Each structure stands twice: as C-alpha cells, then as structure tokens.
Amino acid sequence: MRTASVTRTTRETDISLTVNLDGSGQYDIDTGVGFFDHMLTALCVHGGLDLTVKVKGDLHVDCHHTIEDTGIVLGQAVAKALGDKGGIARYGTAFIPMDEALGFCSLDVSGRPFLVFDVPFVGGSIGMFDTQMAEEFFRAFAFHAGITLHARVEYGKNDHHMCEAVFKALAHALKAAMAPSGGDTLSTKGALD
C-alpha cells in the first residue's frame, strides 16, 4: 500500500498526519476549523484517500497557519507515499458541479510544482475559514507534493458551493492522476522531477 505519515511541529502549529492513497475514503480529521475539516473530508471521500490528521494551531491568531501548514504536511505525505511516482497515470482532470457553482481542476504529478488558482470568492469567510486560505492550502499542497495544479471555478455565487466544488474537483483529479497505470514512468525522460 502507498501510505505515509508525517509530523511537523513549529511555534505556530503541531500536526500529525497519515495518508493511505489506496484507501476507501475513511477519515479522522480535527484541525479546529470546521469548514476546513469539511473540505478535507470531501477530499478523502471523493479522492478515495484514507486520512488521519490532528492539528493544534494558533487559532487565537487566525486560521492561516493551521490551514497552510496542513497543506504543507499533506503535500509531503502524498509525495512520500508516491515515492518515485513510477507506474501512475500522472495526469488528472475533473469538472465538479455543486449547485450553481462549477469547479475545475487539472493536475500533473510531475515533481515540478506550480499553481494557478482562479476562484472568485464573494465574501471573506465561510465560518472560521478565511476564503483566501483556499489558495494558500492549494499552493502549500501543490508545492510540497510536487504537483503542477490548475484550479478554478467557472462560475458560482455561493462561497461554500464554490469552495466545495474546487476541493472535490481536486479530489477527483488527484485520484485519476495517482491511479496505478501498470506501466513504466510516464515520461519521455524516464523520470518525474
């Protein structure tokens, strides 16, 4: 099985995370930010990941460090679980509707991190989740997992729906990209980095 555990402790956060890329969507998530827990749950259920994550963050400041650092640790764990990335489909793309919103994600598990993020949130927060932190999570995850990641919302009006659509699109694109291909490394140079 492709699994990994990562812990990371700083003055701002203390994170313990375990991921199984070949799971069935099981999760045990507690970040202290309810809406973020909801988004990580969607990532698990729709991406077929098993995820255990416990975060103690400086929420008395705001949610920034908790969310960004969780993205860092999740990215590190995914990269560790994938190893040399040989024998995976590598690419994944998904469009996901959520009521009036349509989310899109396309990614390449290339070892070359990049992020394009275009989600026109209307308000500043969804519960305790600052909407600008969605981009920070995606960036931290993409850069630490070594993924080229393009995410956007084609249209939408409700921030909850738009955010959920793009997280679910990430889940489905990631699931497709990490699927075993049964072949060699999908690269003309014979390696992904």
Side-chain angles (χ1 to χ4, degrees):
M1 277 198 196
R2 299 175 298 171
T3 63
S5 294
V6 176
T7 58
R8 181 178 189 265
T9 302
T10 70
R11 292 180 184 168
E12 298 167 340
T13 58
D14 185 359
I15 301 174
S16 175
L17 183 148
T18 299
V19 67
N20 175 4
L21 305 183
D22 302 308
S24 58
Q26 301 299 307
Y27 55 88
D28 183 8
I29 298 167
D30 183 9
T31 67
V33 181
F35 183 76
F36 186 45
D37 290 356
H38 181 46
M39 293 301 94
L40 293 176
T41 298
L43 189 65
C44 294
V45 171
H46 288 267
L49 306 173
D50 289 348
L51 179 65
T52 299
V53 59
K54 302 296 179 191
V55 183
K56 291 180 184 176
D58 57 356
L59 293 177
H60 62 284
V61 175
D62 66 9
C63 65
H64 188 114
H65 302 135
T66 294
I67 294 170
E68 182 179 31
D69 290 5
T70 301
I72 290 170
V73 174
L74 180 59
Q76 290 172 340
V78 167
K80 187 176 175 182
L82 283 172
D84 68 1
K85 297 175 282 303
I88 61 169
R90 181 177 168 179
Y91 297 99
T93 298
F95 281 94
I96 298 294
M98 182 73 186
D99 295 345
E100 88 296 343
L102 182 64
F104 164 81
C105 183
S106 188
L107 58 84
D108 175 10
V109 183
S110 62
R112 295 184 308 277
F114 199 86
L115 176 69
V116 175
F117 190 87
D118 183 13
V119 180
F121 290 115
V122 177
S125 65
I126 308 165
M128 288 178 53
F129 182 92
D130 294 342
T131 52
Q132 63 187 350
M133 290 311 303
E135 182 171 0
E136 296 302 322
F137 171 81
F138 273 66
R139 179 178 294 108
F141 172 70
F143 275 71
H144 289 271
I147 293 174
T148 297
L149 175 57
H150 293 246
R152 71 173 182 257
V153 168
E154 299 291 312
Y155 43 80
K157 296 179 181 177
N158 180 292
D159 285 341
H160 184 130
H161 297 161
M162 290 192 286
C163 196
E164 190 162 345
V166 78
F167 265 85
K168 287 178 177 177
L170 170 61
H172 284 272
L174 194 60
K175 183 177 184 178
M178 296 188 308
S181 65
D184 294 329
T185 300
L186 189 59
S187 170
T188 55
K189 61 185 177 183
L192 293 175
D193 58 12

